[in-house]
């Protein structure tokens, strides 16, 4: 009798353990399914949100195009000119922060300082011109007056630096020829007469300005 009771208890325990295992598997399965459904719902919401944003952008683009069409002239030729003008304005915009070219005024101010023998102020003004308006029509003259100012201040090292810039940037300009005569004179000051003579002969040979050539030949003869 006791053996039968023991067997019955063991059977009940096994059955209970089996039910618990099935239940656990069942719960795990449906929990995973719920999590999957939650992720799917979240993705669907994101897709709907993206569709809405795309629709909004498309609407805004059409609205913008309609506004532009109303502003632009109807004539195709005028419209093309208008678009080309706007394009050139956009291209120029980054480099045209200062709409007014003041290089002429700065140049004249620098010349007044130079003629008044205020060479430091002249150098500062001409330097400002080159910095703000590197493509100005006065750039060559500004560089020349800076080199000449340094020469007259007897700052020969700085003068030679400016002369090198002129030779590099404006090799054929007459003012480069004239400032090269200063280079020859600096060589003379440093007792380098042969080098000075060579510079004068080079100027006389390679520049077309007759006054410049005449001065160069005269200086060359003085050191021979």
């Amino acid at each position: 009798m006791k053996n039968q009771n023991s067997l019955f208890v063991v059977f009940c325990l096994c059955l209970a353990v089996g039910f618990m295992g099935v239940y656990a598997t069942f719960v795990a399965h449906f929990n995973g399914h719920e999590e999957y459904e939650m992720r799917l719902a979240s993705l669907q919401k994101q897709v709907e949100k993206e569709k809405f944003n795309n629709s909004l952008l498309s609407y805004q683009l059409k609205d913008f195009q309609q506004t532009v069409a109303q502003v632009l002239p109807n004539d195709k030729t005028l419209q093309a000119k208008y678009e080309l003008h706007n394009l050139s304005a956009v291209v120029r915009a980054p480099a045209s922060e200062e709409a007014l070219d003041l290089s002429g005024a700065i140049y004249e101010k620098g010349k007044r300082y130079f003629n008044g023998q205020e060479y430091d102020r002249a150098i500062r003004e001409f330097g400002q011109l080159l910095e703000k308006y590197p493509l100005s029509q006065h750039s060559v003259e500004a560089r020349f007056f800076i080199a000449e100012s340094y020469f007259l201040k007897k700052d020969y090292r700085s003068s030679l630096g400016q002369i090198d810039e002129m030779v590099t940037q404006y090799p054929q300009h007459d003012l480069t020829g004239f400032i090269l005569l200063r280079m020859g004179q600096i060589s003379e000051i440093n007792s380098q007469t042969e080098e000075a003579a060579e510079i004068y002969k080079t100027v006389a040979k390679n520049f077309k300005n007759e006054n410049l050539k005449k001065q160069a030949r005269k200086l060359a003869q003085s050191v021979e």
Side-chain angles (χ1 to χ4, degrees):
M1 186 68 179
K2 288 182 179 181
N3 290 335
Q4 290 181 350
N5 291 335
S6 298
L7 290 173
F8 180 73
V9 171
V10 171
F11 174 76
C12 291
L13 289 173
C14 291
L15 188 62
V17 170
F19 277 121
M20 290 177 65
V22 172
Y23 176 77
T25 304
F26 180 80
V27 170
H29 171 76
F30 280 97
N31 283 344
H33 184 71
E34 288 180 1
E35 184 179 356
Y36 173 78
E37 288 185 345
M38 290 175 63
R39 291 182 180 178
L40 182 61
S42 177
L43 290 174
Q44 288 176 342
K45 287 182 179 180
Q46 290 181 6
V47 171
E48 293 297 328
K49 185 177 180 180
E50 290 296 329
K51 287 183 178 179
F52 174 77
N53 289 337
N54 290 336
S55 298
L56 181 61
L57 289 173
S58 178
Y59 172 78
Q60 290 175 339
L61 178 61
K62 290 181 180 179
D63 183 63
F64 174 76
Q65 290 173 338
Q66 291 176 356
T67 303
V68 172
Q70 292 174 359
V71 173
L72 290 176
N74 292 326
D75 184 82
K76 295 298 182 182
T77 304
L78 292 177
Q79 182 173 340
K81 290 181 179 178
Y82 178 84
E83 291 173 348
L84 182 61
H85 173 75
N86 278 351
L87 177 60
S88 62
V90 169
V91 171
R92 290 197 308 267
S96 60
E97 293 180 0
E98 295 186 38
L100 187 62
D101 185 350
L102 299 176
S103 61
I106 298 174
Y107 174 71
E108 292 300 327
K109 188 176 180 180
K111 277 184 64 178
R112 286 197 299 271
Y113 285 136
F114 179 84
N115 292 331
Q117 298 182 2
E118 297 183 73
Y119 300 124
D120 287 329
R121 289 186 172 183
I123 291 168
R124 185 164 53 250
E125 289 299 322
F126 290 126
Q128 183 180 5
L129 186 153
L130 292 173
E131 181 180 355
K132 290 187 174 182
Y133 306 97
L135 301 180
S136 168
Q137 60 179 337
H138 303 293
S139 295
V140 186
E141 291 92 336
R143 185 74 68 181
F144 172 84
F145 279 118
I146 291 174
E148 184 72 0
S149 294
Y150 278 126
F151 178 85
L152 295 173
K153 276 167 49 68
K154 298 183 179 181
D155 184 352
Y156 301 130
R157 182 182 296 273
S158 297
S159 182
L160 287 173
Q162 295 297 319
I163 293 171
D164 285 341
E165 287 290 334
M166 288 196 68
V167 171
T168 300
Q169 297 184 29
Y170 320 107
Q172 302 299 323
H173 201 283
D174 286 346
L175 286 178
T176 300
F178 280 106
I179 206 63
L180 280 171
L181 299 183
R182 290 302 197 193
M183 178 182 280
Q185 290 176 327
I186 293 172
S187 296
E188 285 191 64
I189 292 169
N190 292 327
S191 300
Q192 297 172 328
T193 54
E194 291 184 2
E195 182 179 326
E198 194 64 34
I199 291 172
Y200 298 143
K201 291 176 182 179
T202 300
V203 173
K205 179 180 179 180
N206 292 284
F207 288 86
K208 297 179 180 180
N209 186 292
E210 288 300 325
N211 185 32
L212 173 59
K213 293 166 74 72
K214 183 178 179 180
Q215 289 189 44
R217 285 192 291 263
K218 183 177 180 180
L219 288 169
Q221 291 172 0
S222 69
V223 294
E224 289 179 348

